[in-house]
Amino acid sequence: MSAICRLAGRQLCSRLANSERNSLLFVRPVTIQAQPYKEPPKQGHDEKNMQLGRPCSPHLTVYQVQLTSTLSISHRITGCMLSGYAMAFGFGAMLPGDFTTFLDGLHLNSACIFSIKMMLAFPFSYHFLNGIRHLSWDAGKFLTIKEVYTTGYVMVAAAFALTACLAAL
Amino acid sequence: MAFHRFAGALAKKAFKVSFANTLLPKLDQRFTRHDVRCAHTQVKKLAPDDHRLIWKLQRLCSICLIIALPIDVMYPCLLFDNLFVLLMALHSFWGVNDTIADYCRPILFGPYFRKAWHAIWYITWTVGFSGLLYLNFMDIGFGRALYKIWRLEPKD
């Protein structure tokens, strides 16, 4: 019995001792075959999240209201308002009758005219000035947090000033 | 003499060893990195939805709009009116299109909501843009129309 144990031990020990040299003896041979690349199915961000049962991301309601995000969403809102004005103007232009007679036939009082001018001037001023701010970011300027806030405050003040100037014209 | 020859051979061998150990691997590494970088750019160039060109065009359009608006209001004519209306329509098309893509989310409104809004926007934009061109060609033009709105006489 002891002879068997001793023999088996010696066998194992010698194998382990030489394992660095003969480590390939323990490895099962595997053939690796190259497969042509298969493109994963084209899927949008939301479609993937829906398929995996994930929640909506980015999730808006978890964020605190900040100047940066408020100015950003206002930029889009004013842009959509101006697009709406332009489209309404285009639709109106195709109605029968020319523009000058239409304007003369409106008979608006001064308060109405002032509010129309404000409705046109404020989204325009805001979108115009914030657009310049966005373009300067795209050019790589004013990108630190401090500069983003400073340009934000300056832009809002300038937008109100420009609106007042335009409405007073 | 023999010593000189021996020293020369030693120096040569030393140089070879150092060259093989230091310079060659570095060169190899540099080539590998370079190859990887090249391959990376190629992949990027071949990507089907490459937004670099459209991004640059959008910024160019915005910059041109800033210049075109005051010019059109100051010197209204057929050329400036059409130029401004074209730039504005393009800017508006991209802006609203991206807004719809960002906020009409399939995860919130289902898969068809966004497509429906895109369709509505394409039709609205086509009709509105045609109307603005009609204003330029058949009526007083965009610049003069804007001026007239600002010169409205109050009738109390």
Side-chain angles (χ1 to χ4, degrees), chain A residues 57-77:
Chain A
S57 157
H59 202 285
L60 280 178
T61 52
V62 297
Y63 291 107
Q64 193 190 5
V65 177
Q66 288 172 307
L67 182 79
T68 42
S69 55
T70 311
L71 294 185
S72 175
I73 192 66
S74 319
H75 188 62
R76 278 207 148 156
I77 291 169

Side-chain angles (χ1 to χ4, degrees), chain A residues 2 23 26 40 50 53 66 80-81 87 89 145-146 151 153:
Chain A
S2 67
S23 55
F26 295 102
M50 281 156 84
Q66 288 172 307
C80 287
M81 281 167 81
M87 292 301 123
F89 202 22
I145 294 292
K146 196 168 175 276
T151 52
Y153 287 123

Side-chain angles (χ1 to χ4, degrees), chain A residues 10-48:
Chain A
R10 205 178 294 164
Q11 190 86 11
L12 254 177
C13 282
S14 68
R15 267 201 152 182
L16 281 175
N18 295 334
S19 64
E20 206 173 312
R21 231 186 311 146
N22 301 325
S23 55
L24 282 176
L25 283 175
F26 295 102
V27 176
R28 196 159 54 91
V30 175
T31 322
I32 296 172
Q33 270 190 326
Q35 294 282 332
Y37 173 66
K38 238 206 259 168
E39 200 159 310
K42 263 205 135 182
Q43 223 175 8
H45 174 74
D46 263 21
E47 281 84 358
K48 193 177 177 187

Side-chain angles (χ1 to χ4, degrees), chain B residues 41-59:
Chain B
T41 7
Q42 255 184 351
V43 168
K44 265 193 149 179
K45 261 183 192 164
L46 290 171
D49 37 18
D50 191 338
H51 292 285
R52 281 179 297 177
L53 180 67
I54 195 86
W55 191 88
K56 280 177 192 162
L57 284 177
Q58 283 168 348
R59 307 307 119 162

